[in-house]
Amino acid sequence: MASSVISSSPFVCKSSSSSSKKDLGFSSFTKSSQISIHRCQKKSISRKIVSVMAPQKDRSPGTTGSVKTGMTMTEKILARAAEKSLVVPGDNIWVNVDVLMTHDVCGPGAFGIFKREFGEKAKVWDPEKIVVIPDHYIFTADKRANRNVDIMREHCKEQNIKYFYDITDLGNFKANPDYKGVCHVALAQEGHCRPGEVLLGTDSHTCTAGAFGQFATGIGNTDAGFVLGTGKILLKVPPTMRFILDGEMPSYLQAKDLILQIIGEISVAGATYKTMEFSGTCIESLSMEERMTLCNMVVEAGGKNGVIPPDATTLNYVENRTSVPFEPVYSDGNASFVADYRFDVSKLEPVVAKPHSPDNRALARECKDVKIDRVYIGSCTGGKTEDFMAAAKLFHAAGKKVKVPTFLVPATQKVWMDVYALPVPGSGGKTCAQIFEEAGCDTPASPSCGACLGGPADTYARLNEPQVCVSTTNRNFPGRMGHKEGQIYLASPYTAAASALTGHVTDPREFLQ
Amino acid sequence: MAASLQSVNPTLSRNLSSPNNSSSVAPFRSPFLRFDSTSVSRGFKPLVSFRNASSSAFVTRSAAEPQERKTFHGLCYVVGDNIDTDQIIPAEFLTLVPSNPDEYEKLGSHALVGLPAAYKERFVQPGEMKTKYSIIIGGENFGCGSSREHAPVCLGAAGAKAVVAQSYARIFFRNSVATGEIYPLDSEVRVCDECKTGDVATIELREGDSILINHTTGKEYKLKAIGDAGPVIDAGGIFAYARKAGMIPSAAA
């Protein structure tokens, strides 16, 4: 088992050589200087794409002008957010936060800490930079779960939070115009993910947003409470591991296979405290949703954040969803990487992660004797529109019915609508929903995190017995989907669909070639 | 305050200045919020706070006095590698809000209930609210998985004082320190292979050489210094520490 190499406590403060007291530290936390920081930023954001660096103070000549030391994307993003011209891995820096996301499970705790520490009458640092997305325990009769959504409503009302994707009618998700669903997918769909920014969330899969070329990572309630009050967080700059994926993506392979391949390679602690940067010709060919799947599971390798250089695909997605100005950054040619991995994607095969660890990698075709009891297609990892399209495409190509209960949980309202409205290419105009029905799958359920993490006892598709499940989700530790002796095989949507058709773990090439 | 923190632990800088020898360095948890105790400049009050086990009295001491020892004594509970947050606190209990005192206690009663049945001896006995084990001994990558702060919180709420593991997942480590709920200590060897649940042990935290003494086996193990994470946990977490150090304003009245 690879142990973490360059591990780091995020709390060491190191003053940069030339900065004055004001550059770092809590002296900037009084309300007036908070306002002055915002004013500086507002003044400079007057054109569409501008530098977001605040005016520099008292910098010695050596630190102005062009930076000779190369930086990786993550280093650049953090340097800019900390208003520094240069950072190196290991630096502990105070970083300005662009977006803070929370949901129904951690939101009440984070706001509870915020109020306890900053005062009952305290106001959040910026009500437009906080996004509250109920998504975890929504369609349940559990009173505490329901109460937690109500608690978030109260906080959002009191603080005038601009983005609160509320749900009040639990019996009919469509009756809630604001409700979105799974937070990481909603953040992207609603235009909150922008290149170059710092996005924090009270959820480990916040790293998903790294697909947009930003620094995105998960934090706990206490850190979030701190950010709520100050808009800043103390972070240690992570070193970057580079993963170059070249070659043409085979038609039966998906981003899920790529990340399972990588995690199997480096283990669940292989990227602890580090950045995972993905590039290469294969990455460039991936859609945004596929890139999100890739970055989503960075945390399963212990990674601090994942990042993909923004390109035309990114800009096209983002510019259609937000008018907030942003500025992408890219790794310098002479940046330092702490590890380099290269993959020829054309040689890879569909893989699964066997129970009970995301790094327990095996070829799907080598697991064909594993009898399964059910299939689950959903979650931020594998419940997006393209994930369902892929499953539908395979079901259609096969023309057969599933042999085991097959649960479908679209991540968001929008995904649900796509499943019912968009035609699946090559099917003669059928929608995913029609194909799923013909194949004998369960009806697509209300969008939420669903059974990915088990949840309250009445959660749809929860593993309540020691069954074997092939799932497009992200973790398969004991008890993850409910029952402690449940056995979860993590897989791509293609592999999940193929497995549903045979009742065994199945390589999708059985049906796709 | 941060700007007056002069020195980062030199070992840490050394590790990170040579990014290419990634395979040669053992895991190292750096001290954090380290301040130069000889320099009282820039209006920052050096502060070492010490939490007394039986009361919440805080003692402010000047930097010239000898280092304090902090001691934990009690029973060990031994687990393996990759104990993820779902095993520490299954997702169904996340409806409990940790900042609510009643629910905080309830979280403690469910600590480590997600461990498989192979763990015959449970961390919290059925029907109990607290654990009889004050020290958890783990392997690699303790606390991996989710960012849920409920994980270190439930361990602290149950009454555990420290985890001794070979390595930690970053969010769990960070949350442990930020909440001040439990000490995440690093061992240098695979202590989980040499200790059994129920062993009686003492942990002594010192500036230079912290140790774990297993009284049942008679063996001693060196622990890596927790450094400046210690005072933060002693103070009760990042907010309490920051307030004591004058870094942030006190909670508004």
Side-chain angles (χ1 to χ4, degrees), chain A residues 6-7 12 26 117 137 147, chain B residues 16 28 31 91 103 243 247:
Chain A
I6 299 180
S7 52
V12 180
F26 292 86
E117 302 294 342
Y137 303 153
R147 170 206 68 171
Chain B
L16 293 165
F28 173 69
E103 299 185 15
R243 211 172 289 116
M247 287 189 253

Side-chain angles (χ1 to χ4, degrees), chain A residues 395-411:
Chain A
F395 283 136
H396 186 262
K400 295 190 162 81
K401 282 192 180 299
V402 296
K403 292 211 164 100
V404 295
T406 302
F407 303 102
L408 311 169
V409 185

Side-chain angles (χ1 to χ4, degrees), chain A residues 274-285:
Chain A
K274 302 192 190 93
T275 300
M276 294 175 74
E277 183 175 315
F278 304 100
S279 57
T281 56
C282 172
I283 300 297
E284 289 160 25
S285 73

Side-chain angles (χ1 to χ4, degrees), chain A residues 5-7 9-13 26 117 137 144 147-148 217 221-223 234 236 273 338 453 480 484, chain B residues 5 12 16 19 22 28-29 31-33 86 91 95-96 103 113 115 149 170 174 239 243 247-248:
Chain A
V5 175
I6 299 180
S7 52
S9 155
F11 289 93
V12 180
C13 278
F26 292 86
E117 302 294 342
Y137 303 153
R144 264 202 309 258
R147 170 206 68 171
N148 289 344
T217 196
N221 296 356
T222 301
D223 276 329
L234 184 55
K236 172 164 285 198
Y273 282 102
V338 78
L453 72 164
R480 172 68 178 172
K484 270 192 236 183
Chain B
L5 304 180
L12 181 63
L16 293 165
S22 51
F28 173 69
R29 292 286 161 235
F32 77 78
L33 283 176
D86 276 298
T95 49
L96 296 164
E103 299 185 15
V113 77
L115 286 174
E149 208 167 74
R170 65 162 281 269
R174 192 185 168 103
F239 277 106
R243 211 172 289 116
M247 287 189 253
I248 58 173

Side-chain angles (χ1 to χ4, degrees), chain A residues 51-67:
Chain A
S51 162
V52 297
M53 205 186 250
Q56 299 305 303
K57 321 161 216 182
D58 300 327
R59 302 189 76 86
S60 73
T63 58
T64 56
S66 64
V67 177

